[in-house]
Amino acid sequence: MWIWPCGNTNPIKAEVEETLKRIQTHKGVIGTIVVNAEGIPIRTTLDNSTTVQYAGLLHQLTMKARSTVRDLDPQNDLTFLRIRSKKHEIMVAPDKEYLLIVIQNPSE
Amino acid sequence: MEIVHVYTKKRNEFGRQCNFSDRPAELHVDILPDPSLASNFIERDPCDVPIQCTQEMSEHEVNTERFESDTRGINHVEGGWPKDVNPQEMEQTIRFRKKVEKDEHYFSTIMQLGSNMEHCIKQNNAINIYQEYFEEEEVVEESEEQPSAKTINVFRDPNEIKRTATCLSWHPDGSCKLAVAYSSLGFQNISPDMSYDSYIWDIENPNKPEMTLKPVSLLVCLEYNPKDSHILVGGSYNGQIAYWDTRKGSQPVEMSTIEHSHRDPVYKVIWLQSKTGTDTFSASTDGQVLWWDIRKMSEPTERLVLDPNKKGNLDNALGAISLEFETTMPTKFMVGTEQGLVVSCNRKAKTPAEKIVCTYSGHHGPIYALQRNPFFPKNFLTVADWTARIWSEDIKESSIMWTKYHMAYLSDGCWSPVRPSVFFTVKMDGTLDVWDFLFKQNDPTLSLKVCDEALYSLRVQDNGRFLACGSQLGTATLLEISPGLCTLQRNEKALATAMFERETKREKILEARHREMRLKERSRSEQSKDEDTKEGDGEESVEELATRTEAEFYEIVEAELKKRAKEQEKKEKDVCEEKEV
């Protein structure tokens, strides 16, 4: 008898869902995007065109920021990138393969 | 010792082409050292030599060539999808996404990144790091900053043959656009290649005008309609009036017919206050002021001939160069003439003779600018010849306040819309003067050289902060003035009122005194006429008057020259003394 581990991934998957949902429901958060290493948006709460713009531009910016940090000190690495603008703040959490982007409107 | 080298050339060889040839070096003069000359000099011992042990630096300024830049954006299109997935197909993309989401690595990454992210989000929500801790109060203390003005942008005439920027008009809403009329005011100065275009500039982009207006003849003046920001009316060099709608393109929507237009260039056109918002009136040096309704440009709705004898005689008329109209006083308007008179008129008069109410004289040249003070409509500013004068409506003999005579001709001026005591003037030597008569009356508060050529026009934006001035080579410069000159100071209105009243009273007293003296003289001369039988005893003939005036004039000029020479000598003497010490 085969017991398919069908329910195995569910709790982890549920946790991921929950994390993303929790992030999205924080005060001031406008949108959340998960992008993979090729720039493909995996998960997004914004509309498609905006997502594609953010994904493309921020991916390149993160690469540039990371290379800058490493050029200044080869033993250093980029852990987080925050871009504060007049209208909102864009936070990028980079990883080797994925990128988590959150757009938040702070404190107003 | 003189060293002379002589060579001869035949007369018929003058002007011939030079043929150069090589030849060996020749010694022409050999000056040997002459030790006897050393007796003319004394050896100096010790010698003071300054030394500095620092890096030697030099300062250089470089002006780069104008770099034209254009802003472009890139539109990102989805990419990066693996070969087997077609990004247009929803199913395939969803399937791909679901596949990625099932990846183990994905989970761990997201969890970790998610916790980082949450931390930052909460941070943002907890404290606003850009919070203003010390909110400034409403009332700013008397800042002792120097008044200053700074050039923000320069809009150059893109054509090869440069024309003068004779009139500027700000866009009525928001003032983000500036309409500039270009023409050439010199007599018969228009070359056939000169472009007739006038432009509307976006103040953010000095590289290229936002819109071109193509009139039939050069535009001398241009005004936006304050009620409808798409409509502009322009007066052109050939006397016609035209109006444009910026939504309808560069050609004028309608032009006035030549037979009924002015016979001279239209120097000023102003929009009137009316229900339909389509009425304007224009003035020209042919002596007429014409009223137009832009919906029907074939004929002016009304005509006024500026005949000071009130007979409507065109030959006698004064040429109009500037107009003034204040929307708070819609029945009155004023015309500034070439002859130096300001004519105050009433629109609602029944007969043309009654239209001209009174005249103000005092200027020696054409009145290039005429404007009422936005806060005190009874007082108006005129800019003409070498002075700017402030008048009160009640005093007709002279102005109540005036500036000194400048070295250069004043070509335009206007009041600041936010401060009642500040006005601006531009001169033919390219300087802009900012006057604040509550601060200083003899000199301008700020005098700024905007460009090397003459400035012909000036316009302040409605917020009082920005002003644009146009020059002879078609360059419109946008300047920002320091906040001190465009924020209303405390008590300013009260102080300005007091000052105007004081000056008006002074002039009234002087006028009354003059009248008294004249009456006395008249009664005295009448008495002497009874005694004497000779006619015209008290009066000199015209020639005698002319020679007397000439002599007086030369005396004054000589006295001034002598004074200047003396000052120059004194200065040189001071410098010499310093050198000796």
Side-chain angles (χ1 to χ4, degrees):
Chain A
M1 224 156 50
W2 294 98
I3 305 171
W4 286 108
C6 52
N8 195 8
T9 52
N10 273 352
I12 306 179
K13 191 154 180 267
E15 232 184 288
V16 167
E17 293 294 318
E18 209 209 299
T19 310
L20 289 176
K21 204 154 75 157
R22 206 174 52 232
I23 291 178
Q24 180 62 29
T25 52
H26 265 297
K27 188 172 100 141
V29 172
I30 302 172
T32 316
I33 308 172
V34 178
V35 184
N36 81 344
E38 273 106 44
I40 303 173
I42 305 293
R43 202 53 193 281
T44 172
T45 60
L46 303 168
D47 61 282
N48 195 31
S49 50
T50 320
T51 306
V52 166
Q53 279 253 305
Y54 270 103
L57 293 166
L58 287 169
H59 193 249
Q60 292 183 31
L61 184 64
T62 317
M63 294 292 112
K64 188 71 174 173
R66 176 179 275 137
S67 71
T68 308
V69 169
R70 293 194 72 130
D71 280 348
L72 291 170
D73 179 5
Q75 275 147 8
N76 207 350
D77 194 10
L78 181 70
T79 52
F80 205 83
L81 184 62
R82 268 167 127 164
I83 303 162
R84 208 148 221 231
S85 72
K86 267 202 292 212
K87 297 194 183 163
H88 42 237
E89 178 163 340
I90 304 171
M91 293 177 278
V92 180
D95 181 75
K96 235 171 47 176
E97 278 204 31
Y98 298 96
L99 218 63
L100 174 61
I101 303 169
V102 171
I103 303 129
Q104 187 190 21
N105 201 354
S107 74
E108 267 89 50
Chain B
M1 170 177 48
E2 233 182 57
I3 304 170
V4 174
H5 179 70
V6 180
Y7 74 102
T8 53
K9 196 170 184 181
K10 270 202 204 159
R11 194 60 153 74
N12 61 1
E13 283 178 18
F14 278 17
R16 269 213 199 157
Q17 182 196 30
C18 290
N19 291 328
F20 293 104
S21 59
D22 264 331
R23 65 165 181 177
E26 263 179 37
L27 182 61
H28 282 244
V29 178
D30 188 15
I31 307 175
L32 297 164
D34 186 0
S36 66
L37 289 175
S39 56
N40 289 342
F41 300 88
I42 309 174
E43 231 180 73
R44 191 179 187 173
D45 187 16
C47 280
D48 284 317
V49 174
I51 297 183
Q52 203 170 223
C53 184
T54 52
Q55 232 180 3
E56 277 201 19
M57 312 246 224
S58 67
E59 190 183 307
H60 291 276
E61 270 179 22
V62 170
N63 210 10
T64 57
E65 286 225 355
R66 217 147 106 103
F67 180 69
E68 296 225 355
S69 60
D70 209 355
T71 326
R72 283 183 207 272
I74 303 181
N75 203 14
H76 280 265
V77 175
E78 272 194 67
W81 294 98
K83 279 206 194 106
D84 52 353
V85 176
N86 178 6
Q88 310 296 332
E89 289 272 324
M90 277 278 284
E91 290 179 18
Q92 291 189 14
T93 53
I94 293 179
R95 215 185 313 145
F96 180 81
R97 285 198 176 107
K98 285 224 173 84
K99 192 168 67 141
V100 170
E101 280 179 355
K102 291 210 174 80
D103 188 19
E104 278 256 348
H105 195 47
Y106 177 79
F107 300 143
S108 47
T109 316
I110 295 292
M111 298 310 292
Q112 192 223 340
L113 296 181
S115 60
N116 268 351
M117 186 63 82
E118 270 203 82
H119 177 70
C120 292
I121 293 179
K122 284 184 187 153
Q123 238 181 23
N124 271 343
N125 284 333
I127 303 179
N128 176 8
I129 64 173
Y130 294 113
Q131 184 188 4
E132 292 270 349
Y133 288 111
F134 306 105
E135 288 277 327
E136 294 156 296
E137 269 87 32
E138 280 287 340
V139 178
V140 181
E141 356 68 61
E142 304 276 315
S143 46
E144 291 303 318
E145 53 165 293
Q146 284 276 39
S148 62
K150 157 170 96 150
T151 311
I152 307 254
N153 254 334
V154 176
F155 306 95
R156 286 175 226 277
D157 187 0
N159 302 83
E160 282 261 335
I161 303 182
K162 307 278 181 207
R163 306 144 306 157
T164 314
T166 44
C167 189
L168 306 154
S169 175
W170 287 97
H171 193 258
D173 312 313
S175 306
C176 47
K177 290 203 245 245
L178 182 65
V180 188
Y182 296 92
S183 66
S184 172
L185 290 176
F187 185 62
Q188 297 193 340
N189 207 9
I190 304 178
S191 71
D193 305 326
M194 200 181 270
S195 150
Y196 286 165
D197 298 339
S198 288
Y199 302 108
I200 298 182
W201 296 87
D202 180 349
I203 56 177
E204 308 277 320
N205 181 13
N207 293 328
K208 211 161 71 77
E210 192 182 330
M211 193 167 158
T212 314
L213 302 172
K214 294 189 194 298
V216 160
S217 149
L218 289 167
L219 277 184
V220 180
C221 58
L222 189 57
E223 282 286 334
Y224 264 104
N225 186 346
K227 294 265 176 60
D228 181 358
S229 56
H230 297 285
I231 310 256
L232 294 113
V233 68
S236 51
Y237 197 73
N238 66 357
Q240 283 179 298
I241 314 278
Y243 87 94
W244 279 264
D245 189 331
T246 51
R247 297 165 292 204
K248 293 202 184 129
S250 306
Q251 297 292 332
V253 179
E254 210 183 322
M255 298 199 66
S256 60
T257 48
I258 294 216
E259 311 88 66
H260 294 117
S261 308
H262 291 281
R263 304 262 184 284
D264 263 354
V266 181
Y267 280 98
K268 189 90 182 176
V269 68
I270 296 190
W271 288 93
L272 289 170
Q273 183 86 295
S274 74
K275 280 193 284 243
T276 53
T278 54
D279 289 315
T280 77
F281 69 138
S282 61
S284 156
T285 39
D286 65 355
Q288 296 179 76
V289 178
L290 300 174
W291 278 262
W292 306 87
D293 182 339
I294 58 171
R295 295 167 296 185
K296 183 169 164 290
M297 295 284 260
S298 52
E299 234 190 9
T301 53
E302 235 183 290
R303 178 195 297 262
L304 169 66
V305 175
L306 289 168
D307 184 3
N309 300 338
K310 308 199 180 167
K311 287 205 190 72
N313 191 357
L314 202 58
D315 295 325
N316 225 7
L318 308 160
I321 279 233
S322 51
L323 273 181
E324 189 281 327
F325 176 74
E326 179 75 32
T327 48
T328 51
M329 299 207 280
T331 56
K332 291 200 277 193
F333 67 95
M334 293 199 287
V335 184
T337 61
E338 259 189 323
Q339 285 77 4
L341 290 172
V342 176
V343 185
S344 169
C345 307
N346 185 345
R347 259 189 90 192
K348 294 292 181 217
K350 299 286 185 294
T351 65
E354 281 175 34
K355 277 238 164 102
I356 299 181
V357 173
C358 57
T359 61
Y360 301 87
S361 61
H363 272 297
H364 312 295
I367 299 189
Y368 287 112
L370 177 57
Q371 195 191 8
R372 283 188 201 264
N373 188 326
F375 294 85
F376 300 98
K378 279 200 156 248
N379 297 298
F380 57 94
L381 168 75
T382 56
V383 168
D385 56 56
W386 296 273
T387 58
R389 288 174 194 266
I390 300 181
W391 305 72
S392 164
E393 263 191 339
D394 312 318
I395 317 269
K396 303 194 187 8
E397 256 103 65
S398 97
S399 49
I400 59 174
M401 288 158 71
W402 55 89
T403 65
K404 62 170 192 248
Y405 282 91
H406 294 98
M407 298 307 293
Y409 224 72
L410 263 68
S411 49
D412 202 354
C414 60
W415 288 101
S416 162
V418 289
R419 286 194 60 186
S421 63
V422 172
F423 64 94
F424 306 93
T425 55
V426 282
K427 302 214 280 281
M428 298 290 258
D429 60 359
T431 46
L432 164 78
D433 290 328
V434 181
W435 298 80
D436 179 357
F437 57 73
L438 286 181
F439 178 66
K440 212 190 324 185
Q441 293 209 359
N442 291 334
D443 290 307
T445 308
L446 176 65
S447 184
L448 190 72
K449 190 156 175 72
V450 175
C451 52
D452 291 323
E453 63 266 13
L455 285 172
Y456 272 91
S457 53
L458 170 69
R459 215 31 118 84
V460 184
Q461 209 197 31
D462 290 328
N463 64 7
R465 193 72 193 272
F466 293 102
L467 52 87
C469 31
S471 79
Q472 196 172 11
L473 294 177
T475 317
T477 313
L478 177 68
L479 293 124
E480 180 183 349
I481 44 180
S482 57
L485 288 171
C486 52
T487 39
L488 199 60
Q489 310 283 336
R490 290 178 291 155
N491 307 337
E492 188 171 333
K493 271 207 192 147
L495 287 170
T497 321
M499 173 156 302
F500 279 134
E501 275 181 19
R502 190 182 73 204
E503 300 298 327
T504 315
K505 209 163 69 159
R506 183 195 64 159
E507 281 300 319
K508 271 210 195 108
I509 294 175
L510 281 175
E511 209 183 304
R513 191 90 181 79
H514 273 151
R515 227 176 292 158
E516 268 182 43
M517 284 177 31
R518 254 181 278 147
L519 272 172
K520 255 196 235 157
E521 277 240 8
R522 219 175 288 163
S523 57
R524 221 187 307 138
S525 72
E526 278 184 13
Q527 278 185 0
S528 63
K529 256 200 210 157
D530 291 340
E531 295 171 1
D532 266 338
T533 48
K534 266 194 228 151
E535 264 183 15
D537 189 32
E539 286 183 13
E540 302 167 321
S541 67
V542 181
E543 287 102 43
E544 283 175 41
L545 197 62
T547 36
R548 189 162 64 89
T549 331
E550 213 179 296
E552 274 178 30
F553 174 68
Y554 280 121
E555 264 175 56
I556 298 176
V557 170
E558 286 218 18
E560 179 74 29
L561 279 172
K562 262 194 219 144
K563 195 169 67 158
R564 291 238 179 115
K566 223 185 281 180
E567 273 177 24
Q568 184 73 7
E569 268 182 37
K570 207 172 121 214
K571 245 192 256 176
E572 281 174 4
K573 230 197 291 172
D574 285 342
V575 171
C576 281
E577 282 178 12
E578 274 190 28
K579 272 206 179 133
E580 280 179 15
V581 168

